[in-house]
Amino acid sequence: MTVDELEKRLKLGEDTVTEFKSVVLKNYQVDPKDIARAIAAMANTKGGHLLLGVEDDGTVTGAGSLEQVDALMR
């Protein structure tokens, strides 16, 4: 995905192929089951994009420090 495509997706918001997941409000913690459900839902349809560190309104709030991002991926 190019930067332009990402910006467009952020402006269009969530839909059947785009899911935003905030991590700031949860102290940079993500429920693995929540992520697994989102991935499974997309896998059972036509695929999609899961964007961590993005609020429901498309605002990019980030996923924290490098250590916090590393912890999210474990």
Side-chain angles (χ1 to χ4, degrees):
M1 177 182 309
T2 68
V3 172
D4 289 338
E5 291 169 333
L6 177 59
E7 288 175 350
K8 183 177 179 181
R9 282 199 182 275
L10 292 170
K11 287 178 186 174
L12 291 173
E14 293 181 299
D15 57 24
T16 58
V17 295
T18 306
E19 176 79 16
F20 299 156
K21 291 289 179 195
S22 171
V23 294
V24 171
L25 297 177
K26 299 173 186 167
N27 196 30
Y28 300 102
Q29 301 291 318
V30 176
D31 179 3
K33 290 180 183 177
D34 189 32
I35 299 297
R37 281 190 293 272
I39 292 170
M42 289 179 181
N44 286 321
T45 58
K46 54 185 170 185
H49 299 277
L50 178 62
L51 304 175
L52 296 176
V54 179
E55 304 302 311
D56 287 340
D57 66 359
T59 302
V60 177
T61 52
S65 68
L66 290 176
E67 291 82 14
Q68 290 166 318
V69 171
D70 187 48
L72 288 173
M73 296 299 117
R74 291 186 196 145

